[in-house]
Amino acid sequence: MPLSGWWRKLVEAHPMHNIALRPLSRGSATVILGGVSGSGMIGLARMCLQKGFKVYGCDQQKSDEITELESAGLIYFPETADSPVEEADLVVCSSALPQDHVMRQWAQAKAVPIAGRAETLAALLHDREVILVVGTHGKTTSAVLMAHALRKLGRDISFYIGAEVPLFGTSAYLGQDSLAVVEADESDGSFTYFDPSHVLVLNIEEDHLDHYSGLEEIQAAFRQVVDRCDGHKIVCGDDPVAATTFKDHENVIHYGFSGNGSVQGSDWNAEAIGSSFTADFGHHRDYQITVALNGKHNASNVLGVITMCVSLEYEAEEVTGLFKDVRGARRRYEVLVSNAYGTIVDDYAHHPTEIRATVASARKKTGGRLIAVFQPHRYSRTEKLMEKFADCFDGADAVYLTDVYGAGEKAECSEVGLKLSNLVGAHHKDVTFHTSLNALTRHIRGQWQADDTLLVMGAGNVNEVAHAIADELTQAEELQRIVEGKGNCSLYEPMFKHTTLRVGGPTDAWVSVQTEKKLAEIIYYTKKCTKLFHVIGRGTNLLVKDGGIRGICIHLDGGDFERLKFEGSRVYCGAGVRLKNLVAEAKKRDLGGLEFMEGIPGNLGGSLCMNAGAMQSWTFEVVQSVRVMDLEGKIKEIAKEDIEVRYRHVPLFKDHIALGAVLQTQESDRDAINEIIKSYSEKRWKSQPAKPSSGCSFKNPNEIPAGKLIEELNLKEKKIGGAAISAVHGNFIVNDGGATAEDVLELIDLVKQAAMEKRGVQLETEVIILGE
C-alpha cells in the first residue's frame, strides 16, 4: 500500500515505527492498549474503536470510562492476568508504563510491534488537517476552546484532548471533517511525532527536566514542531520565552495583551463569572469578548483560539461571541460545588506558573478564606523547580501541602515533600504538611468555615480530596433542604460540642430534626447516597474519636420528639425529652416512680437504647411500650414484653430508632418525691466526679464492680495528656482540661491491660466509641 506524503515523512523520521504503525493505515487492525485507564489512553481507545479496530485494554484498575467503552466494543483485562489475545498488530503503551511492564514483555515475546501514545495518535490522524495546540500550560483548556469554536462554526471535526470534557461528553472523537484539533504533550518530546497543518503555541517554560537537559532543549523541540507546520503558526507574544523562540520565524502571528503582536487584546476585566476584554485582529476595530473561564491566562487562551479561527478565514464577528458559556475540561478550574456551605475547585495546576495564575484567579472570586491544597507531581520535577514553588501561593489564606505524587517515579529522598513545605513556609504564614490524603481531608474538615473556598491543585490523585469534600458540601445542602423549617443542618460540626466528655472531631453533617416525617426523609436520603448515620442524643455515654464521624449525625430536637402527654399515671415521652425535665413534669402532677431518672444525664432515647440505670433502677422497669422507626422509615409500637433487654444493651435499637415510649408512673406525694430526689442527688455528688466525663467507662464484670477493681489496681488519678481517671470514682475518666479522644482511649487500653494482667479480668467498655 503506497504511503501518503505525511505518512512517509513520519516513518522516515522515525523508522523504527514503520512496521509498528503501518497497520493503522489500513481499515482494520487488532490493537492492545497498556495502561488504558489513563486519561490520554482513554481517548486513544475511543478513536481506535471508531476506526473499526479490535481493541483490547489492560490496566491495574478498571475506571468508569472503561466500563462505558466496553459497551462500545473494548475488551478489558486486568494487568495482572494473562493476555487473552493470541495475535495483535500493535501494542500501545502509555509513557507511564515501565520498560519491564507485563504488556511490553508480552509484545516482545510475541514479536508484536510496540508504539507510544503520541505516534499512534499521529498515525490515526495521518489523513487529517491537524491543528496542534502546544504549550507548557493551558493546552487542555485551549484545545477544548478550539474544538468548541469549530464545532459551533458547523465543522464535524475530530479532536483529541487529554482530559474528559463535560461539554463534549468525551475526550476524543473522529469526525467526518478534514480538520482535527489535538492537544499535544511536550513532556516526553513525543509531540515531535506530529506534522501539523496549523499550530497554536501558548507558552514555553522550563519543565519536564527529567526528559530535557534544560530550557534550550525544550525550545528546540518546540521549534521542531513549528518548523514542520506548513500552515498557520499562532504564538502568544505575552510569553517571553515563546516570543523569543519564534521571533525570527517567518509567517508567525503573535497575539497577546502586552502589545508584542499583530493581534492585540486590551481592557481585561475580571467579572463575577469569568472575564471580559477587547481585541483588535489587525482591522483597527475592537471586538468585545466575554469569557466564562476565570483568569487573564484564560482570556489569553481565548484570544489565541480566535486568532487561529480568523486565520482559517472565519469572520471575527462569527467567532468572538462563542465563549460566553463554554467551560473547560475536567480538573481545569472545575468548580465541583458552590453553595451556602462553601466552594470546592479542582484544578490540574502542577507547575509554579500554573499555580500562581490559578491562585490569583481564585482570590478574585472569593470573599472568604482561600485554602490552597497542592500535591507536588514527580520527585525530579519538584526538586528541580523547588525554588520556584516557594512564593507561588501568594493570595491564599492557608496552604496545605501533601507528599509528592511519584507518577511511577521512585524517590531518591523520602523527604522531598517536607523540604518543599519548609521552603513554602518561609514565604507564607500558614503552611501545613500532610503525609497522607486521609490526614489532609480530616484536617480540612476540622478547620472548615462556611464561606471558605478550597482550591485543590495537582496532577496526581489529590482530586480525591476535592471530591470527598465536595460530596459532603452537596449532601449538607440536600439535608438542609429536607429539614428546612423543621430543623437545621451544620457541616463539619465539632462533636466535642455534643458530648459530655467534651472531646471528638467533626461529623460530616449534624442534622437536627423536629418531626417524624422529616426523620423518615433523612433516613431515605442516607440510603440513597449510601451514607452511614448515627442518632445522637446529649452524648452522655459517647466517646467520639479525634478524626470525627464519617456520615450523618441525627439529633432529635424539639417538635414530635419533645412531646410529653400524661394520661392518668401513664405518660408518653418523646425520645428527645431530657430525663431531668421528665421527672420535673411528673412531679408537678404528683407522679413518682421516675425519680432515679433525674440522675441520668441524658434524653429518653439514649436511656432506652442503653437501658440506662441509676440508683439500682433501670429504664425498662418503667417502660410499657416503645415507639420506633425502622430503617425503611416505617413506624410501629412494640410492647415491652416483646423487647429483649440486656445489661446496658437493647438489640432492638441496632436497626430501629427510638422515637418515644409510654412510661408507667405511680401516684405519690410531691414532698416525698422531692426527698427521694434529694437523697439520690446527695449520693451522686459524693460518688461521681463533677468534671466532664462520659459516665461509667466500663461495664461491671461479674467478678467485681469496675470502679472498685480500678481502685484496687491503684489507677485512680492516673493521667494521660488531658484525660484522667477520677479520684472520686475509678470507673469515670474525666476531661481534666484539653483532653483528646486519643488520651482517653490510651487510658482505657491501659486499664484493660492492667485488669487482665494483674487480675485476669476482661473489661468491656460501657461508653460507645465512634469515629476514626
Side-chain angles (χ1 to χ4, degrees), residues 163-190:
E164 192 72 16
V165 185
L167 182 67
F168 305 150
T170 181
S171 62
Y173 169 74
L174 277 175
Q176 298 302 311
D177 199 287
S178 61
L179 274 180
V181 174
V182 173
E183 174 197 350
D185 180 14
E186 81 286 358
S187 65
D188 58 358
S190 60

Side-chain angles (χ1 to χ4, degrees), residues 127-257:
D127 56 350
R128 308 294 169 114
E129 188 180 344
V130 173
I131 301 173
L132 207 62
V133 180
V134 297
T136 311
H137 325 294
K139 51 187 174 288
T140 300
T141 299
S142 298
V144 171
L145 295 168
M146 181 69 72
H148 164 76
L150 292 170
R151 283 157 64 97
K152 283 289 186 181
L153 291 167
R155 307 289 294 264
D156 183 28
I157 63 163
S158 302
F159 59 83
Y160 175 89
I161 296 162
E164 192 72 16
V165 185
L167 182 67
F168 305 150
T170 181
S171 62
Y173 169 74
L174 277 175
Q176 298 302 311
D177 199 287
S178 61
L179 274 180
V181 174
V182 173
E183 174 197 350
D185 180 14
E186 81 286 358
S187 65
D188 58 358
S190 60
F191 69 152
T192 60
Y193 286 115
F194 290 93
D195 189 25
S197 299
H198 314 288
V199 64
L200 171 61
V201 181
L202 305 170
N203 42 61
I204 303 173
E205 195 164 347
E206 195 173 36
D207 197 2
H208 311 297
L209 298 178
D210 54 329
H211 178 78
Y212 299 101
S213 61
L215 184 58
E216 289 186 3
E217 189 178 353
I218 297 170
Q219 289 174 283
F222 274 85
R223 284 194 197 96
Q224 184 179 347
V225 171
V226 173
D227 285 344
R228 296 176 68 181
C229 171
D230 55 10
H232 302 297
K233 306 169 185 179
I234 313 297
V235 176
C236 180
D238 291 345
D239 184 77
V241 179
T244 301
T245 303
F246 299 105
K247 181 179 179 181
D248 300 323
H249 272 58
E250 295 181 358
N251 303 320
V252 170
I253 297 174
H254 290 85
Y255 69 92
F257 289 87

Side-chain angles (χ1 to χ4, degrees), residues 33-38 41-42 58-59 79 92-94 97 101 103:
L33 305 178
V36 70
S37 291
M41 296 295 278
I42 289 281
C58 73
D59 212 319
E79 196 173 273
V92 183
C93 289
S94 161
L97 300 186
H101 187 267
M103 282 316 305

Side-chain angles (χ1 to χ4, degrees), residues 104 125 183 193 195 239 253 292 367 438 446 484 640 668 670 749:
R104 293 186 189 275
L125 297 174
E183 174 197 350
Y193 286 115
D195 189 25
D239 184 77
I253 297 174
N438 283 339
E484 193 68 53
K640 173 185 175 178
S668 181
R670 194 171 306 183
D749 288 342

